[in-house]
Amino acid sequence: NAGVMQNPRHLVRRRGQEARLRCSPMKGHSHVYWYRQLPEEGLKFMVYLQKENIIDESGMPKERFSAEFPKEGPSILRIQQVVRGDSAAYFCASSPNEGYTFGSGTRLTVV
Amino acid sequence: RKEVEQDPGPFNVPEGATVAFNCTYSNSASQSFFWYRQDCRKEPKLLMSVYSSGNEDGRFTAQLNRASQYISLLIRDSKLSDSATYLCVVTPTSGGYNKLIFGAGTRLAVHP
């Protein structure tokens, strides 16, 4: 029973490129959350999705960021035209209803 | 004002010491409270939930004071393996789902 799988573990992008972060929730989990952790800071909520629906995106930057959780396949966090300030660890978590399991995260570095 | 505030530390303590972490939260209607542990560059892991009646898990004791909006974590007999960042976490009232609000964390370093 694999845990929450995130890939890639490390991602390097040049300024202006696109970053795609993937998250496969635990089997049977239909709720996915994305969090961002900037250096020396705590995790900040970005978005909460259920299958094919965005429930709460109050933590998402208004521009360049989008998220989806299709009927089939992993949840995707997409960052367009990355800037240096996007460099951070991005963690995904899944839950059935209550209780979280976090993935190992994707460390994005923008050069 | 941050929603969840913690002393960033670091706390440098010898093995066997007792150390206490404090946390305050701003939303008086917050529903649930937790302490998470995060090792360097890894995902946070749930350490324990926090209840008003207080709860204990081995060497760890957590306490919640709703009136003061204050949460504490006490670690007794510190081990080298306790070295990590401890994150205070609350959930807001709305939404009916578990959106977590994290503090910035308190760093603990236990030395021989």
Side-chain angles (χ1 to χ4, degrees):
Chain A
N1 183 19
V4 178
M5 304 301 291
Q6 288 189 250
N7 63 81
R9 290 293 300 274
H10 301 275
L11 181 61
V12 180
R13 284 287 177 266
R14 295 185 185 278
R15 280 178 294 173
Q17 290 185 321
E18 178 180 284
R20 280 183 177 243
L21 289 62
R22 288 176 291 277
C23 169
S24 297
M26 289 184 71
K27 188 176 181 180
H29 286 194
S30 59
H31 303 233
V32 168
Y33 304 78
W34 285 93
Y35 288 79
R36 176 167 68 174
Q37 186 172 31
L38 295 170
E40 306 302 321
E41 293 189 16
L43 280 76
K44 295 287 194 290
F45 170 79
M46 298 183 76
V47 62
Y48 163 54
L49 309 103
Q50 293 181 14
K51 283 286 187 182
E52 300 183 277
N53 288 303
I54 297 174
I55 307 301
D56 180 352
E57 56 181 350
S58 59
M60 289 277 272
K62 293 289 186 285
E63 297 177 349
R64 303 188 296 108
F65 285 72
S66 63
E68 63 177 7
F69 188 17
K71 187 176 180 181
E72 302 291 337
S75 175
I76 305 289
L77 180 66
R78 182 181 178 207
I79 311 171
Q80 295 178 288
Q81 299 175 314
V82 296
V83 300
R84 287 228 171 106
D86 297 332
S87 296
Y90 292 82
F91 291 100
C92 163
S94 74
S95 73
N97 288 303
E98 295 185 5
Y100 266 54
T101 301
F102 278 95
S104 300
T106 293
R107 295 200 171 271
L108 172 65
T109 302
V110 180
V111 298
Chain B
R1 183 186 171 187
K2 292 182 180 178
E3 290 185 80
V4 179
E5 298 211 54
Q6 296 182 247
D7 182 340
F11 284 61
N12 294 300
V13 303
E15 277 186 287
T18 294
V19 61
F21 303 140
N22 304 319
C23 165
T24 57
Y25 59 96
S26 60
N27 185 350
S28 60
S30 295
Q31 292 282 10
S32 303
F33 309 87
F34 309 93
W35 283 101
Y36 275 71
R37 170 191 169 131
Q38 186 175 29
D39 292 283
C40 186
R41 305 178 74 79
K42 293 189 175 180
E43 75 273 23
K45 293 184 178 176
L46 179 64
L47 182 65
M48 59 198 306
S49 301
V50 189
Y51 307 110
S52 297
S53 54
N55 49 305
E56 188 174 309
D57 182 3
R59 298 181 293 108
F60 298 82
T61 301
Q63 192 73 48
L64 166 66
N65 184 322
R66 282 189 181 268
S68 302
Q69 296 177 212
Y70 171 92
I71 306 164
S72 65
L73 177 68
L74 184 75
I75 305 176
R76 291 181 299 277
D77 189 23
S78 300
K79 311 292 184 190
L80 295 175
S81 57
D82 293 334
S83 297
T85 297
Y86 291 83
L87 305 170
C88 179
V89 182
V90 305
T91 62
T93 57
S94 61
Y97 58 91
N98 290 334
K99 170 181 171 180
L100 302 183
I101 310 298
F102 284 81
T106 299
R107 193 175 301 173
L108 172 66
V110 182
H111 57 82

